[in-house]
């Protein structure tokens, strides 16, 4: 059965978070010189992404938007790696780096093509304001943005997928999760969604070791979103 809606993971699948963070960290470090390397800081910042959401998924912390989690994580790694964050204004600017991450080259034309025959929804852990800003920055033309406020938790909690499908008025089997991460797809499959694995072999840089290949029998395998369109049309 062809899906009626595609739910897109965003960080890593649709946008290149690593190059975007490195770009802004390089700018910050020109203002506040130090020994930390922008790529090292970007990777360390991202490494705290899932752990910071775990208490929320487990009900140990109230729902907290990603901007706050990113700021907490940034302050932590600035102490660990010993670099100057500057003023509160500088910190806010760095946190908003996540709002202006660049798209992979195929993302905009791929979403445009897919929209001609299926609903395309942003299903990110990012909150609505973040997702809207990313969409405007990159000219994404989502049919709908399902920010984390809609599901009130974070992937890969089962509710994050089920509530997204419910928001679209569709059964899980009528929706397909599109992601570059095997773990995301495994969680979506477990609650009945169709799955599409899109390879992003440089998401974590040139020495990436994870998510280079499909680790399960996903419904669709694609090298980019345009290839995904060709397989679903």
């Amino acid at each position: 059965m062809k899906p009626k809606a595609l739910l897109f993971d965003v960080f890593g699948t649709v946008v290149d978070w690593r190059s975007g963070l490195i770009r802004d960290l390089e700018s910050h470090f020109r203002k506040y010189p130090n020994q930390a390397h922008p790529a090292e800081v970007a990777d360390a910042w991202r490494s705290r992404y899932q752990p910071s959401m775990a208490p929320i998924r487990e009900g140990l912390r109230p729902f907290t938007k990603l901007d706050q989690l990113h700021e907490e994580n940034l302050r932590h790694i600035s102490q660990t790696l010993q670099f100057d964050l500057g003023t509160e204004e500088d910190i806010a600017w760095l946190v908003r780096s996540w709002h202006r991450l660049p798209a992979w080259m195929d993302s905009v034309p791929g979403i445009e093509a897919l929209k001609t025959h299926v609903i395309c929804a942003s299903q990110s852990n990012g909150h609505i304001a973040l997702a809207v800003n990313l969409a405007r920055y990159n000219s994404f033309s989502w049919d709908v943005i399902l920010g984390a406020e809609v599901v009130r938790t974070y992937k890969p909690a089962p509710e994050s997928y089920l509530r997204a499908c419910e928001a679209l008025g569709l059964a899980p089997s009528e929706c397909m999760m599109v992601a570059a991460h095997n773990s995301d797809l495994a969680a979506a499959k477990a609650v009945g969604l169709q799955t599409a694995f899109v390879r992003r072999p440089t998401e974590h840089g040139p020495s990436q070791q994870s998510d280079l290949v499909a680790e399960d029998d996903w419904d669709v395998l694609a090298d980019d979103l345009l290839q995904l369109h060709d397989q679903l049309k």
Side-chain angles (χ1 to χ4, degrees), residues 9-222:
D9 170 68
V10 175
F11 298 127
T13 303
V14 179
V15 299
D16 179 3
W17 58 265
R18 191 171 189 268
S19 71
L21 294 184
I22 290 172
R23 174 201 62 203
D24 286 358
L25 286 163
E26 286 174 342
S27 177
H28 179 79
F29 290 165
R30 284 193 292 270
K31 187 175 181 181
Y32 298 98
N34 65 88
Q35 299 301 311
H37 192 282
E40 177 189 17
V41 174
D43 291 338
W45 199 357
R46 174 69 176 191
S47 73
R48 294 187 61 81
Y49 176 79
Q50 286 291 347
S52 69
M53 293 184 287
I56 298 166
R57 287 193 294 261
E58 295 165 7
L60 302 176
R61 180 178 182 177
F63 178 76
T64 305
K65 291 182 181 179
L66 207 52
D67 277 353
Q68 183 173 335
L69 299 180
H70 279 155
E71 180 177 337
E72 293 170 2
N73 294 340
L74 178 63
R75 290 181 184 275
H76 176 87
I77 62 171
S78 73
Q79 295 177 357
T80 303
L81 299 179
Q82 298 184 321
F83 61 89
D84 189 352
L85 284 175
T87 66
E88 290 299 315
E89 185 178 70
D90 293 320
I91 294 170
W93 183 82
L94 279 174
V95 169
R96 287 182 67 84
S97 297
W98 293 86
H99 294 233
R100 49 181 182 266
L101 300 173
W104 298 110
M105 288 185 62
D106 60 278
S107 291
V108 171
I111 292 167
E112 287 289 340
L114 286 159
K115 273 186 60 180
T116 62
H117 54 86
V118 67
I119 296 168
C120 289
S122 165
Q123 173 58 3
S124 171
N125 280 330
H127 45 289
I128 291 172
L130 189 160
V132 168
N133 289 336
L134 272 180
R136 291 180 62 83
Y137 184 82
N138 291 292
S139 299
F140 297 144
S141 56
W142 300 117
D143 289 305
V144 62
I145 288 174
L146 300 174
E149 298 100 320
V150 176
V151 299
R152 304 301 292 179
T153 188
Y154 287 114
K155 296 185 299 175
E159 296 83 3
S160 65
Y161 307 97
L162 295 173
R163 290 171 187 166
C165 298
E166 182 182 1
L168 294 174
L170 297 172
S173 61
E174 296 177 301
C175 298
M176 175 177 281
M177 190 69 211
V178 180
H181 312 116
N182 285 282
S183 59
D184 199 351
L185 296 178
K189 181 179 180 179
V191 293
L193 277 74
Q194 299 181 54
T195 52
F197 179 71
V198 179
R199 291 182 66 252
R200 299 299 190 194
T202 61
E203 176 192 353
H204 294 276
S207 301
Q208 180 168 319
Q209 299 296 316
S210 62
D211 292 315
L212 295 174
V213 298
E215 296 173 3
D216 203 336
D217 186 21
W218 311 128
D219 296 294
V220 180
L221 305 178

Side-chain angles (χ1 to χ4, degrees), residues 2 113-114 117 224-233:
K2 288 189 176 182
L114 286 159
H117 54 86
D224 58 38
L225 297 188
L226 289 168
Q227 191 177 98
L228 176 63
H229 167 260
D230 290 341
Q231 295 191 56
L232 291 180
K233 67 182 179 181

